[in-house]
């Protein structure tokens, strides 16, 4: 029979698979390329990898990682004007998606505290060359899906 994500996690724990692997977001799930809307290039993959790593790191640091069913960054095919230093920039927009769910058939957005969102935004925008705007997805499933594609 096919297993849902929550059942796979239960099975992983029962089999003694290490906790980091069992609770990884997503587990199981698609690779990062599906989270790049529009053209997938090496540059955009690198940008997404860096942004996603920062978001996941901040979820661990803040103690929210295990409370969230799935968390990730989506790189959008939209650029926005910004200001870095004394100059204007025209860089990509990204969105953070964090959901809480018990069965992955339905999900609500995770109510991440503003200070955690602020830290994520500041770090991504200042540390990831190519992103100058970070949004937070507050859609529920349904009508939205967990993944954007």
């Amino acid at each position: 029979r096919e297993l849902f994500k929550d059942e796979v996690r239960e099975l992983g724990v029962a089999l003694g698979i290490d906790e980091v692997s069992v609770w990884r977001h997503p587990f199981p799930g698609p690779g990062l390329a599906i989270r790049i809307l529009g053209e997938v290039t090496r540059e955009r993959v690198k940008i997404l990898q860096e942004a996603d790593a920062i978001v996941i790191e901040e979820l661990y640091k803040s103690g929210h990682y295990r409370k969230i069913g799935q968390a990730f960054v989506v790189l959008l095919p939209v650029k926005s004007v910004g200001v870095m230093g004394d100059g204007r920039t025209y860089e990509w927009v990204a969105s953070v998606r964090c959901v809480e769910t018990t069965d992955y058939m339905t999900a609500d957005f995770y109510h991440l505290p503003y200070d955690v969102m602020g830290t994520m935004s500041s770090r991504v925008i200042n540390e990831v060359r190519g992103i100058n705007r970070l949004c937070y997805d507050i859609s529920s499933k349904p009508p939205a899906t967990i993944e954007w594609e």
Side-chain angles (χ1 to χ4, degrees), residues 12-25:
V13 169
L15 291 172
I17 296 174
D18 69 282
E19 201 171 291
V20 172
S21 295
V22 169
W23 289 98
R24 182 181 179 274
H25 293 175

Side-chain angles (χ1 to χ4, degrees), residues 25-47:
H25 293 175
F27 183 85
L32 288 180
I34 198 168
R35 296 179 179 154
I36 298 173
L37 305 188
E39 185 181 9
V40 177
T41 65
R42 284 186 182 182
E43 176 190 7
R44 294 188 78 212
V45 168
K46 182 179 181 291
I47 289 169

Side-chain angles (χ1 to χ4, degrees), residues 26-111:
F27 183 85
L32 288 180
I34 198 168
R35 296 179 179 154
I36 298 173
L37 305 188
E39 185 181 9
V40 177
T41 65
R42 284 186 182 182
E43 176 190 7
R44 294 188 78 212
V45 168
K46 182 179 181 291
I47 289 169
L48 181 60
Q49 286 172 325
E50 291 175 8
D52 197 70
I54 289 168
V55 166
I56 297 301
E57 180 182 325
E58 289 303 325
L59 290 175
Y60 272 114
K61 279 184 183 177
S62 63
H64 291 275
Y65 187 86
R66 287 280 301 268
K67 299 174 186 175
I68 295 170
Q70 194 164 341
F72 53 88
V73 176
V74 177
L75 189 59
L76 304 177
V78 176
K79 285 192 169 184
S80 176
V81 69
V83 177
M84 297 292 260
D86 293 332
R88 290 195 175 271
T89 61
Y90 193 63
E91 303 291 353
W92 297 110
V93 177
S95 180
V96 174
R97 178 82 160 135
C98 298
V99 298
E100 53 187 345
T101 180
T102 55
D103 60 7
Y104 293 87
M105 300 304 291
T106 62
D108 287 318
F109 71 92
Y110 184 78
H111 293 255

